[in-house]
Amino acid sequence: MNYAIVNIQGKQFKLFEKKYSYVPKIIVEEGKKIILNKVLFFSSEKESYLGTPFLNNILIEVEILQHLKGKKIIVFKKKRRKGYKVKKGVRPHFTKIKVISFIKK
């Protein structure tokens, strides 16, 4: 099975061909296709390539499927014996993507 390790907004993700993945929000309209070029590692059935730091001859075509929010993350701060308590919550934004194909130059 073909897969690649890609850098998206400073984080690394392992992407498989024709599979879905959730990544940090990419500001592109839903339904559009984009090309990812920051490929760190690529592996196929026969061979694998390691970039230094990125591979120049492999691109990944990705379709943006949906923008959504994740589960709420609670941030709670407290200082003992001072009466100080703060509770905040945040819902991170994600983008659901589907890998269409790996393009070798």
Side-chain angles (χ1 to χ4, degrees), residues 10 16 19 22 37 42-43 47 49 57 68 79 81-84 87 99 104:
F16 292 94
K19 298 278 183 172
Y22 294 93
N37 59 358
F42 176 76
S43 177
E47 54 197 3
Y49 303 101
N57 58 348
L68 51 114
K79 295 187 179 180
R81 296 188 299 269
K82 306 293 184 212
Y84 173 76
K87 181 179 178 182
V99 177
K104 292 184 185 178

Side-chain angles (χ1 to χ4, degrees), residues 32-76:
K32 297 275 184 173
K33 295 180 182 179
I34 60 172
I35 301 290
L36 301 176
N37 59 358
K38 292 187 176 182
V39 180
L40 299 165
F41 179 78
F42 176 76
S43 177
S44 64
E45 290 85 10
K46 298 177 184 175
E47 54 197 3
S48 59
Y49 303 101
L50 181 63
T52 56
F54 302 118
L55 293 169
N56 296 327
N57 58 348
I58 295 177
L59 301 173
I60 300 175
E61 187 178 8
V62 171
E63 182 180 2
I64 306 294
L65 297 177
Q66 185 180 11
H67 297 295
L68 51 114
K69 287 185 175 182
K71 292 187 175 182
K72 185 177 276 192
I73 298 171
I74 302 297
V75 178
F76 184 74

Side-chain angles (χ1 to χ4, degrees), residues 92-103:
H93 295 274
F94 292 107
T95 299
K96 183 178 181 182
I97 61 173
K98 180 180 181 183
V99 177
I100 295 172
S101 65
F102 297 116
I103 303 168

